[in-house]
Amino acid sequence: MKARIIVTLKTGVLDPQGKAIESALKSFGIQDVGGVRQGKVFDIEVEGTDRAAAEATLKTACEKLLANTVVENYAIEIA
């Protein structure tokens, strides 16, 4: 089954890359952007048909590797 994991910085965590993107957009004449927060997206295929087991596997992957849970949140979407 296919899954998407979205990792974003927690509210209040500084986001210098997001600020750089915001500045770059404005330098390209895109002035209507009020703020940018960047994140990561992982598309993962999980073997098996047990949705709960897949979610548990993906949660473990997030907590051990894909997200720094001190400063990042993550969301798991299973298709």
PDB file of all heavy atoms in Angstrom, residues 6-38:
ATOM      1  N   ILE A   6       4.360  13.525   5.640  1.00  0.00           N
ATOM      2  CA  ILE A   6       4.660  14.952   5.527  1.00  0.00           C
ATOM      3  C   ILE A   6       5.294  15.399   6.837  1.00  0.00           C
ATOM      4  O   ILE A   6       4.715  15.215   7.910  1.00  0.00           O
ATOM      5  CB  ILE A   6       3.383  15.755   5.236  1.00  0.00           C
ATOM      6  CG1 ILE A   6       2.751  15.260   3.932  1.00  0.00           C
ATOM      7  CG2 ILE A   6       3.691  17.253   5.174  1.00  0.00           C
ATOM      8  CD1 ILE A   6       1.355  15.782   3.673  1.00  0.00           C
ATOM      9  N   VAL A   7       6.491  15.944   6.726  1.00  0.00           N
ATOM     10  CA  VAL A   7       7.241  16.403   7.892  1.00  0.00           C
ATOM     11  C   VAL A   7       7.351  17.920   7.817  1.00  0.00           C
ATOM     12  O   VAL A   7       7.779  18.461   6.792  1.00  0.00           O
ATOM     13  CB  VAL A   7       8.647  15.762   7.942  1.00  0.00           C
ATOM     14  CG1 VAL A   7       9.436  16.261   9.144  1.00  0.00           C
ATOM     15  CG2 VAL A   7       8.540  14.238   7.954  1.00  0.00           C
ATOM     16  N   THR A   8       6.948  18.588   8.890  1.00  0.00           N
ATOM     17  CA  THR A   8       7.013  20.054   8.941  1.00  0.00           C
ATOM     18  C   THR A   8       7.613  20.491  10.269  1.00  0.00           C
ATOM     19  O   THR A   8       7.551  19.765  11.261  1.00  0.00           O
ATOM     20  CB  THR A   8       5.615  20.670   8.805  1.00  0.00           C
ATOM     21  OG1 THR A   8       4.766  20.135   9.828  1.00  0.00           O
ATOM     22  CG2 THR A   8       5.014  20.394   7.437  1.00  0.00           C
ATOM     23  N   LEU A   9       8.175  21.683  10.252  1.00  0.00           N
ATOM     24  CA  LEU A   9       8.716  22.233  11.491  1.00  0.00           C
ATOM     25  C   LEU A   9       7.579  22.582  12.437  1.00  0.00           C
ATOM     26  O   LEU A   9       6.509  23.016  12.013  1.00  0.00           O
ATOM     27  CB  LEU A   9       9.543  23.485  11.194  1.00  0.00           C
ATOM     28  CG  LEU A   9      10.869  23.252  10.480  1.00  0.00           C
ATOM     29  CD1 LEU A   9      11.463  24.583  10.039  1.00  0.00           C
ATOM     30  CD2 LEU A   9      11.831  22.517  11.388  1.00  0.00           C
ATOM     31  N   LYS A  10       7.810  22.393  13.723  1.00  0.00           N
ATOM     32  CA  LYS A  10       6.815  22.767  14.713  1.00  0.00           C
ATOM     33  C   LYS A  10       6.680  24.284  14.749  1.00  0.00           C
ATOM     34  O   LYS A  10       7.626  25.023  14.427  1.00  0.00           O
ATOM     35  CB  LYS A  10       7.225  22.246  16.099  1.00  0.00           C
ATOM     36  CG  LYS A  10       7.131  20.745  16.207  1.00  0.00           C
ATOM     37  CD  LYS A  10       7.484  20.276  17.601  1.00  0.00           C
ATOM     38  CE  LYS A  10       7.304  18.756  17.702  1.00  0.00           C
ATOM     39  NZ  LYS A  10       7.684  18.236  19.016  1.00  0.00           N
ATOM     40  N   THR A  11       5.515  24.740  15.153  1.00  0.00           N
ATOM     41  CA  THR A  11       5.276  26.168  15.286  1.00  0.00           C
ATOM     42  C   THR A  11       6.286  26.761  16.263  1.00  0.00           C
ATOM     43  O   THR A  11       6.547  26.192  17.318  1.00  0.00           O
ATOM     44  CB  THR A  11       3.844  26.407  15.809  1.00  0.00           C
ATOM     45  OG1 THR A  11       2.921  25.805  14.898  1.00  0.00           O
ATOM     46  CG2 THR A  11       3.555  27.901  15.929  1.00  0.00           C
ATOM     47  N   GLY A  12       6.844  27.892  15.878  1.00  0.00           N
ATOM     48  CA  GLY A  12       7.798  28.571  16.743  1.00  0.00           C
ATOM     49  C   GLY A  12       9.245  28.215  16.461  1.00  0.00           C
ATOM     50  O   GLY A  12      10.147  28.896  16.938  1.00  0.00           O
ATOM     51  N   VAL A  13       9.476  27.144  15.697  1.00  0.00           N
ATOM     52  CA  VAL A  13      10.854  26.775  15.337  1.00  0.00           C
ATOM     53  C   VAL A  13      11.288  27.651  14.162  1.00  0.00           C
ATOM     54  O   VAL A  13      10.554  27.787  13.173  1.00  0.00           O
ATOM     55  CB  VAL A  13      10.946  25.283  14.950  1.00  0.00           C
ATOM     56  CG1 VAL A  13      12.339  24.937  14.439  1.00  0.00           C
ATOM     57  CG2 VAL A  13      10.564  24.410  16.133  1.00  0.00           C
ATOM     58  N   LEU A  14      12.451  28.266  14.279  1.00  0.00           N
ATOM     59  CA  LEU A  14      12.958  29.107  13.203  1.00  0.00           C
ATOM     60  C   LEU A  14      13.124  28.288  11.927  1.00  0.00           C
ATOM     61  O   LEU A  14      13.516  27.123  11.977  1.00  0.00           O
ATOM     62  CB  LEU A  14      14.291  29.728  13.605  1.00  0.00           C
ATOM     63  CG  LEU A  14      14.249  30.700  14.777  1.00  0.00           C
ATOM     64  CD1 LEU A  14      15.659  31.194  15.101  1.00  0.00           C
ATOM     65  CD2 LEU A  14      13.319  31.869  14.508  1.00  0.00           C
ATOM     66  N   ASP A  15      12.831  28.922  10.798  1.00  0.00           N
ATOM     67  CA  ASP A  15      12.885  28.238   9.507  1.00  0.00           C
ATOM     68  C   ASP A  15      13.691  29.080   8.518  1.00  0.00           C
ATOM     69  O   ASP A  15      13.128  29.762   7.656  1.00  0.00           O
ATOM     70  CB  ASP A  15      11.459  28.002   8.993  1.00  0.00           C
ATOM     71  CG  ASP A  15      11.420  27.220   7.704  1.00  0.00           C
ATOM     72  OD1 ASP A  15      12.492  26.836   7.174  1.00  0.00           O
ATOM     73  OD2 ASP A  15      10.306  27.001   7.195  1.00  0.00           O
ATOM     74  N   PRO A  16      15.030  29.065   8.621  1.00  0.00           N
ATOM     75  CA  PRO A  16      15.836  29.895   7.718  1.00  0.00           C
ATOM     76  C   PRO A  16      15.661  29.529   6.250  1.00  0.00           C
ATOM     77  O   PRO A  16      15.711  30.405   5.383  1.00  0.00           O
ATOM     78  CB  PRO A  16      17.268  29.666   8.193  1.00  0.00           C
ATOM     79  CG  PRO A  16      17.228  28.480   9.080  1.00  0.00           C
ATOM     80  CD  PRO A  16      15.826  28.327   9.574  1.00  0.00           C
ATOM     81  N   GLN A  17      15.443  28.252   5.947  1.00  0.00           N
ATOM     82  CA  GLN A  17      15.241  27.862   4.548  1.00  0.00           C
ATOM     83  C   GLN A  17      13.922  28.437   4.021  1.00  0.00           C
ATOM     84  O   GLN A  17      13.847  28.909   2.888  1.00  0.00           O
ATOM     85  CB  GLN A  17      15.258  26.342   4.408  1.00  0.00           C
ATOM     86  CG  GLN A  17      15.246  25.889   2.956  1.00  0.00           C
ATOM     87  CD  GLN A  17      15.415  24.386   2.811  1.00  0.00           C
ATOM     88  OE1 GLN A  17      15.568  23.669   3.785  1.00  0.00           O
ATOM     89  NE2 GLN A  17      15.392  23.921   1.588  1.00  0.00           N
ATOM     90  N   GLY A  18      12.894  28.410   4.847  1.00  0.00           N
ATOM     91  CA  GLY A  18      11.618  29.011   4.454  1.00  0.00           C
ATOM     92  C   GLY A  18      11.767  30.503   4.211  1.00  0.00           C
ATOM     93  O   GLY A  18      11.213  31.051   3.252  1.00  0.00           O
ATOM     94  N   LYS A  19      12.526  31.179   5.069  1.00  0.00           N
ATOM     95  CA  LYS A  19      12.776  32.616   4.885  1.00  0.00           C
ATOM     96  C   LYS A  19      13.538  32.869   3.593  1.00  0.00           C
ATOM     97  O   LYS A  19      13.263  33.836   2.876  1.00  0.00           O
ATOM     98  CB  LYS A  19      13.554  33.178   6.079  1.00  0.00           C
ATOM     99  CG  LYS A  19      12.709  33.378   7.307  1.00  0.00           C
ATOM    100  CD  LYS A  19      11.745  34.516   7.069  1.00  0.00           C
ATOM    101  CE  LYS A  19      10.959  34.828   8.320  1.00  0.00           C
ATOM    102  NZ  LYS A  19       9.828  35.720   8.024  1.00  0.00           N
ATOM    103  N   ALA A  20      14.526  32.012   3.272  1.00  0.00           N
ATOM    104  CA  ALA A  20      15.285  32.165   2.033  1.00  0.00           C
ATOM    105  C   ALA A  20      14.377  31.983   0.822  1.00  0.00           C
ATOM    106  O   ALA A  20      14.481  32.719  -0.172  1.00  0.00           O
ATOM    107  CB  ALA A  20      16.443  31.170   1.999  1.00  0.00           C
ATOM    108  N   ILE A  21      13.482  31.023   0.882  1.00  0.00           N
ATOM    109  CA  ILE A  21      12.530  30.797  -0.220  1.00  0.00           C
ATOM    110  C   ILE A  21      11.618  32.015  -0.367  1.00  0.00           C
ATOM    111  O   ILE A  21      11.365  32.491  -1.479  1.00  0.00           O
ATOM    112  CB  ILE A  21      11.719  29.507   0.017  1.00  0.00           C
ATOM    113  CG1 ILE A  21      12.642  28.294  -0.058  1.00  0.00           C
ATOM    114  CG2 ILE A  21      10.571  29.398  -0.989  1.00  0.00           C
ATOM    115  CD1 ILE A  21      12.017  27.002   0.464  1.00  0.00           C
ATOM    116  N   GLU A  22      11.122  32.512   0.763  1.00  0.00           N
ATOM    117  CA  GLU A  22      10.264  33.698   0.742  1.00  0.00           C
ATOM    118  C   GLU A  22      10.996  34.872   0.083  1.00  0.00           C
ATOM    119  O   GLU A  22      10.439  35.559  -0.779  1.00  0.00           O
ATOM    120  CB  GLU A  22       9.850  34.056   2.171  1.00  0.00           C
ATOM    121  CG  GLU A  22       8.982  35.293   2.266  1.00  0.00           C
ATOM    122  CD  GLU A  22       8.681  35.646   3.718  1.00  0.00           C
ATOM    123  OE1 GLU A  22       8.731  34.766   4.587  1.00  0.00           O
ATOM    124  OE2 GLU A  22       8.390  36.823   3.969  1.00  0.00           O
ATOM    125  N   SER A  23      12.242  35.087   0.474  1.00  0.00           N
ATOM    126  CA  SER A  23      13.033  36.179  -0.096  1.00  0.00           C
ATOM    127  C   SER A  23      13.248  35.970  -1.591  1.00  0.00           C
ATOM    128  O   SER A  23      13.143  36.918  -2.387  1.00  0.00           O
ATOM    129  CB  SER A  23      14.368  36.263   0.634  1.00  0.00           C
ATOM    130  OG  SER A  23      15.165  37.260   0.075  1.00  0.00           O
ATOM    131  N   ALA A  24      13.538  34.733  -1.997  1.00  0.00           N
ATOM    132  CA  ALA A  24      13.765  34.441  -3.414  1.00  0.00           C
ATOM    133  C   ALA A  24      12.497  34.677  -4.231  1.00  0.00           C
ATOM    134  O   ALA A  24      12.549  35.222  -5.340  1.00  0.00           O
ATOM    135  CB  ALA A  24      14.242  33.000  -3.580  1.00  0.00           C
ATOM    136  N   LEU A  25      11.358  34.266  -3.691  1.00  0.00           N
ATOM    137  CA  LEU A  25      10.096  34.492  -4.405  1.00  0.00           C
ATOM    138  C   LEU A  25       9.877  35.981  -4.639  1.00  0.00           C
ATOM    139  O   LEU A  25       9.494  36.399  -5.737  1.00  0.00           O
ATOM    140  CB  LEU A  25       8.926  33.887  -3.614  1.00  0.00           C
ATOM    141  CG  LEU A  25       8.876  32.366  -3.587  1.00  0.00           C
ATOM    142  CD1 LEU A  25       7.825  31.884  -2.582  1.00  0.00           C
ATOM    143  CD2 LEU A  25       8.574  31.810  -4.966  1.00  0.00           C
ATOM    144  N   LYS A  26      10.138  36.767  -3.600  1.00  0.00           N
ATOM    145  CA  LYS A  26       9.966  38.216  -3.741  1.00  0.00           C
ATOM    146  C   LYS A  26      10.953  38.796  -4.748  1.00  0.00           C
ATOM    147  O   LYS A  26      10.605  39.707  -5.491  1.00  0.00           O
ATOM    148  CB  LYS A  26      10.071  38.880  -2.371  1.00  0.00           C
ATOM    149  CG  LYS A  26       8.854  38.543  -1.523  1.00  0.00           C
ATOM    150  CD  LYS A  26       8.856  39.215  -0.184  1.00  0.00           C
ATOM    151  CE  LYS A  26       7.562  38.803   0.535  1.00  0.00           C
ATOM    152  NZ  LYS A  26       7.441  39.367   1.849  1.00  0.00           N
ATOM    153  N   SER A  27      12.171  38.248  -4.805  1.00  0.00           N
ATOM    154  CA  SER A  27      13.145  38.740  -5.787  1.00  0.00           C
ATOM    155  C   SER A  27      12.730  38.401  -7.214  1.00  0.00           C
ATOM    156  O   SER A  27      13.167  39.038  -8.159  1.00  0.00           O
ATOM    157  CB  SER A  27      14.534  38.181  -5.487  1.00  0.00           C
ATOM    158  OG  SER A  27      14.624  36.822  -5.854  1.00  0.00           O
ATOM    159  N   PHE A  28      11.880  37.374  -7.359  1.00  0.00           N
ATOM    160  CA  PHE A  28      11.349  37.023  -8.687  1.00  0.00           C
ATOM    161  C   PHE A  28      10.076  37.791  -9.007  1.00  0.00           C
ATOM    162  O   PHE A  28       9.392  37.511  -9.986  1.00  0.00           O
ATOM    163  CB  PHE A  28      11.067  35.516  -8.783  1.00  0.00           C
ATOM    164  CG  PHE A  28      12.298  34.665  -8.811  1.00  0.00           C
ATOM    165  CD1 PHE A  28      12.412  33.574  -7.960  1.00  0.00           C
ATOM    166  CD2 PHE A  28      13.345  34.922  -9.685  1.00  0.00           C
ATOM    167  CE1 PHE A  28      13.540  32.764  -7.971  1.00  0.00           C
ATOM    168  CE2 PHE A  28      14.479  34.122  -9.704  1.00  0.00           C
ATOM    169  CZ  PHE A  28      14.575  33.046  -8.843  1.00  0.00           C
ATOM    170  N   GLY A  29       9.730  38.739  -8.144  1.00  0.00           N
ATOM    171  CA  GLY A  29       8.550  39.570  -8.400  1.00  0.00           C
ATOM    172  C   GLY A  29       7.262  38.996  -7.860  1.00  0.00           C
ATOM    173  O   GLY A  29       6.187  39.512  -8.138  1.00  0.00           O
ATOM    174  N   ILE A  30       7.359  37.940  -7.104  1.00  0.00           N
ATOM    175  CA  ILE A  30       6.158  37.349  -6.501  1.00  0.00           C
ATOM    176  C   ILE A  30       5.998  37.985  -5.125  1.00  0.00           C
ATOM    177  O   ILE A  30       6.558  37.516  -4.138  1.00  0.00           O
ATOM    178  CB  ILE A  30       6.284  35.814  -6.432  1.00  0.00           C
ATOM    179  CG1 ILE A  30       6.516  35.248  -7.830  1.00  0.00           C
ATOM    180  CG2 ILE A  30       5.037  35.201  -5.789  1.00  0.00           C
ATOM    181  CD1 ILE A  30       6.887  33.778  -7.861  1.00  0.00           C
ATOM    182  N   GLN A  31       5.270  39.073  -5.068  1.00  0.00           N
ATOM    183  CA  GLN A  31       5.191  39.894  -3.867  1.00  0.00           C
ATOM    184  C   GLN A  31       4.048  39.504  -2.932  1.00  0.00           C
ATOM    185  O   GLN A  31       4.004  39.936  -1.784  1.00  0.00           O
ATOM    186  CB  GLN A  31       5.036  41.365  -4.268  1.00  0.00           C
ATOM    187  CG  GLN A  31       6.186  41.892  -5.102  1.00  0.00           C
ATOM    188  CD  GLN A  31       7.521  41.871  -4.356  1.00  0.00           C
ATOM    189  OE1 GLN A  31       7.577  42.116  -3.162  1.00  0.00           O
ATOM    190  NE2 GLN A  31       8.601  41.553  -5.058  1.00  0.00           N
ATOM    191  N   ASP A  32       3.101  38.712  -3.386  1.00  0.00           N
ATOM    192  CA  ASP A  32       1.922  38.404  -2.590  1.00  0.00           C
ATOM    193  C   ASP A  32       2.167  37.314  -1.545  1.00  0.00           C
ATOM    194  O   ASP A  32       1.242  36.889  -0.864  1.00  0.00           O
ATOM    195  CB  ASP A  32       0.769  37.951  -3.501  1.00  0.00           C
ATOM    196  CG  ASP A  32       0.346  39.062  -4.448  1.00  0.00           C
ATOM    197  OD1 ASP A  32       0.656  40.231  -4.166  1.00  0.00           O
ATOM    198  OD2 ASP A  32      -0.286  38.747  -5.469  1.00  0.00           O
ATOM    199  N   VAL A  33       3.397  36.862  -1.402  1.00  0.00           N
ATOM    200  CA  VAL A  33       3.713  35.805  -0.447  1.00  0.00           C
ATOM    201  C   VAL A  33       3.983  36.438   0.914  1.00  0.00           C
ATOM    202  O   VAL A  33       4.855  37.280   1.071  1.00  0.00           O
ATOM    203  CB  VAL A  33       4.955  35.009  -0.911  1.00  0.00           C
ATOM    204  CG1 VAL A  33       5.347  33.972   0.124  1.00  0.00           C
ATOM    205  CG2 VAL A  33       4.679  34.362  -2.251  1.00  0.00           C
ATOM    206  N   GLY A  34       3.195  36.033   1.906  1.00  0.00           N
ATOM    207  CA  GLY A  34       3.333  36.613   3.233  1.00  0.00           C
ATOM    208  C   GLY A  34       4.241  35.818   4.140  1.00  0.00           C
ATOM    209  O   GLY A  34       4.712  36.308   5.155  1.00  0.00           O
ATOM    210  N   GLY A  35       4.511  34.582   3.805  1.00  0.00           N
ATOM    211  CA  GLY A  35       5.373  33.749   4.631  1.00  0.00           C
ATOM    212  C   GLY A  35       5.517  32.378   4.023  1.00  0.00           C
ATOM    213  O   GLY A  35       4.613  31.901   3.331  1.00  0.00           O
ATOM    214  N   VAL A  36       6.644  31.751   4.241  1.00  0.00           N
ATOM    215  CA  VAL A  36       6.899  30.405   3.718  1.00  0.00           C
ATOM    216  C   VAL A  36       7.461  29.561   4.848  1.00  0.00           C
ATOM    217  O   VAL A  36       8.374  29.985   5.569  1.00  0.00           O
ATOM    218  CB  VAL A  36       7.907  30.437   2.543  1.00  0.00           C
ATOM    219  CG1 VAL A  36       8.245  29.032   2.090  1.00  0.00           C
ATOM    220  CG2 VAL A  36       7.372  31.273   1.389  1.00  0.00           C
ATOM    221  N   ARG A  37       6.925  28.376   5.022  1.00  0.00           N
ATOM    222  CA  ARG A  37       7.479  27.361   5.927  1.00  0.00           C
ATOM    223  C   ARG A  37       7.756  26.147   5.068  1.00  0.00           C
ATOM    224  O   ARG A  37       6.879  25.683   4.339  1.00  0.00           O
ATOM    225  CB  ARG A  37       6.492  26.989   7.047  1.00  0.00           C
ATOM    226  CG  ARG A  37       6.047  28.142   7.923  1.00  0.00           C
ATOM    227  CD  ARG A  37       7.035  28.511   8.980  1.00  0.00           C
ATOM    228  NE  ARG A  37       7.097  27.464  10.002  1.00  0.00           N
ATOM    229  CZ  ARG A  37       7.990  27.460  10.964  1.00  0.00           C
ATOM    230  NH1 ARG A  37       8.874  28.436  11.044  1.00  0.00           N
ATOM    231  NH2 ARG A  37       8.026  26.507  11.864  1.00  0.00           N
ATOM    232  N   GLN A  38       8.961  25.617   5.095  1.00  0.00           N
ATOM    233  CA  GLN A  38       9.303  24.469   4.262  1.00  0.00           C
ATOM    234  C   GLN A  38       9.194  23.182   5.070  1.00  0.00           C
ATOM    235  O   GLN A  38       9.173  23.205   6.299  1.00  0.00           O
ATOM    236  CB  GLN A  38      10.692  24.649   3.650  1.00  0.00           C
ATOM    237  CG  GLN A  38      11.811  24.861   4.656  1.00  0.00           C
ATOM    238  CD  GLN A  38      12.328  23.562   5.220  1.00  0.00           C
ATOM    239  OE1 GLN A  38      12.424  22.561   4.507  1.00  0.00           O
ATOM    240  NE2 GLN A  38      12.667  23.554   6.492  1.00  0.00           N
TER     241      GLN A  38
END
